Structure formats: structure tokens, C-alpha cells
Amino acid sequence: MKKASGERPVARPDSNRTGPSANFAVGTTGIGLGDTKRTTGLRLAWRNGQFRRANGINLTLWTPYGVNLEDDDLLGDDGELGGDAFVGTTNGVALGLLHFPRRIRGVGIGGFGPVAGTLQGVAVSGIVVATVEDLTGIAVGAGGAGAEGDVNGIAVGGLAVGAGSSETEDHASKNTGGDINGIAIGGLGAVGNNIRGAGLSAGMVRVRNGGALQGVAVSAFNNINGRQVGLSIGIYNRARVLSGVQIGLLNVARNNPEWARVLPILNVSL
């Protein structure tokens, strides 16, 4: 698979950590119970280790065998989920309480997760939907939704939506990804290196240093630490370079003439 900018390599599982399994199938088509390697049809598992691929419905209730949430070394030296964190690809429907699929193509539903390598499709979670590479499709998390790569589509988070991370402030020179291409709706915040589309929040819409807003931002505080091309509506709107319109109680456009850098109600630079 060709990597997009911002994608991070996802660790492959340690195949020595496996659980019991049984296939009731013709070939690989039928019902798989436990840590089956490949199943087409219905797969029911507690945890995964040797799992590689499921086509159909895959119910995995808990984290892979290589992940212990109480371990101090769950995070690698670089702060990323390491080792065996991501296991297997599901083409179809992935269900679970807290599951760490390497890839979902289709629908992912989780009580606490899913936290995935990549997502192409639709994911819904009671807590968070997150990927370490790109999230493409629709993601809804009661707590939050986001990707360390790009968010392409629609992401809704009860608290926040984000793409990239705070460690990529100088992303303009590194091409690290972390862009929102579509619509981001975060209860308290929506953050990305670049936002192309719409960022909506009761709290803040933020574009990181050197990035751009190309579209619409609506929040109490629209903090564009780069170029704004489009419209921002809020209580306080701030842009380093404005190429559009700000509507709010206080509007700051640092590239405007001195008399127009800070204006109430409306600020324009075209």
C-alpha cells in the first residue's frame, strides 16, 4: 500500500502470542471461534494474536495478546503504541469493546475503541475513534475522534477532533500530514495542521503553525496560526494571514494595515 504523507508504519503483531482457535468452515468460509488466522463469514474472538484477516463480521472483544493496558511499556520510546498493538484486517464489520485492528475496511463499532492502524469506512465508539495513519470516511466518538495521519471525510467528537499531533508544529518543513479534509465537529475543539473544508466547535478551531484554513471555521475562538482563506465566525477570530472574512466580537488579521489589524464585528482582507 502506498503511504500518504503523515502515515506512520504500524507495528506488525508477534505471531508467537496466540490464543486457542477453531474453524467450523469449508476452507476458511464459515464460523471462526477464537484466535483464527483467516475467516470469511462470522468470527468470534476474545483477543487476537495470530489473526490476519476476516471478511464478513469480526467480533473481537478485547485488546491483542501483546497488549496489557497495565504495562508501563505499552507505549514505545517514541510515545507511540508499540510492539503488537495492531493486529489483523477486517473487510466488513469489526465489533468489540476495545479492539486494536491493523486495518478496517467497512464498519468499526466499539464500546471504548476502535483504535486502529487505518480506517476506510465508518466507525462509531462510546469513547474514541482513533488511527495512527489516515482516517478516511466517517468517524463518531462520544469522547473524541482523530488520526495521527490525515482525516479525510467527516469526524465528530463529543470533546474534540484532531489530526496530527502537537509534536508536529513545524510540519510545514516535514510534510508530516495531520490535515483535515472535510468536516470536523468537536465539542470543545477541532485541531489540524491544515483544515480544508469546515471546522465547527463550541470551543476552539485551531490550525497549527504554518498551516492554512481553506473553508469555514465556526467556534468561540478561531485560532489560525497561518493563512485563512475563507470565512471564520466566532467571538474571537485570529489569523496570521487573512485572505477572507472574519465575523465576530474581536477580529485580528496580522497582515492587514495597522489600523485594520484589530477590528470589532468584521474584518476583511482579499
Side-chain angles (χ1 to χ4, degrees):
M1 181 181 73
K2 184 178 179 181
K3 287 179 177 288
S5 63
E7 286 190 343
R8 297 167 180 255
V10 178
R12 293 185 179 278
D14 179 354
S15 60
N16 293 322
R17 298 177 178 180
T18 64
S21 65
N23 270 318
F24 298 89
V26 177
T28 59
T29 302
I31 299 175
L33 300 179
D35 187 22
T36 58
K37 184 175 281 189
R38 291 179 176 83
T39 301
T40 297
L42 174 63
R43 181 178 185 273
L44 306 174
W46 167 238
R47 305 181 78 175
N48 291 324
Q50 68 173 349
F51 169 57
R52 290 295 181 271
R53 186 177 301 274
N55 302 315
I57 299 175
N58 179 19
L59 172 62
T60 301
L61 287 177
W62 203 238
T63 62
Y65 286 105
V67 174
N68 184 341
L69 297 179
E70 296 179 355
D71 283 353
D72 293 335
D73 60 354
L74 175 62
L75 298 182
D77 294 337
D78 58 358
E80 301 298 329
L81 282 165
D84 322 346
F86 300 93
V87 177
T89 293
T90 296
N91 299 309
V93 180
L95 307 171
L97 289 177
L98 178 59
H99 49 130
F100 287 60
R102 178 175 173 81
R103 184 176 292 107
I104 296 175
R105 298 189 183 105
V107 178
I109 300 174
F112 303 103
V115 178
T118 63
L119 167 69
Q120 296 170 313
V122 178
V124 179
S125 170
I127 302 296
V128 65
V129 175
T131 66
V132 296
E133 296 181 356
D134 290 347
L135 189 162
T136 301
I138 300 172
V140 179
E148 290 209 20
D150 295 336
V151 173
N152 304 305
I154 300 173
V156 180
L159 294 178
V161 169
S165 71
S166 59
E167 299 174 357
T168 61
E169 288 292 337
D170 57 346
H171 71 94
S173 63
K174 293 184 178 180
N175 192 27
T176 57
D179 298 340
I180 295 173
N181 303 302
I183 299 174
I185 303 172
L188 297 180
V191 181
N193 290 344
N194 296 282
I195 298 178
R196 304 179 183 95
L200 310 173
S201 175
M204 177 178 67
V205 171
R206 179 172 175 246
V207 171
R208 297 192 183 95
N209 292 339
L213 167 69
Q214 296 173 296
V216 178
V218 179
S219 73
F221 177 26
N222 295 303
N223 186 16
I224 312 304
N225 293 293
R227 178 179 292 275
Q228 175 187 323
V229 182
L231 172 66
S232 62
I233 301 173
I235 297 173
Y236 176 31
N237 300 301
R238 175 184 175 274
R240 288 186 180 177
V241 178
L242 177 63
S243 298
V245 178
Q246 298 171 321
I247 300 174
L249 292 181
L250 187 64
N251 306 288
V252 178
R254 296 191 177 279
N255 64 311
N256 272 357
E258 187 172 350
W259 65 268
R261 287 178 186 169
V262 182
L263 291 174
I265 310 304
L266 178 69
N267 207 342
V268 178
S269 181
L270 300 173

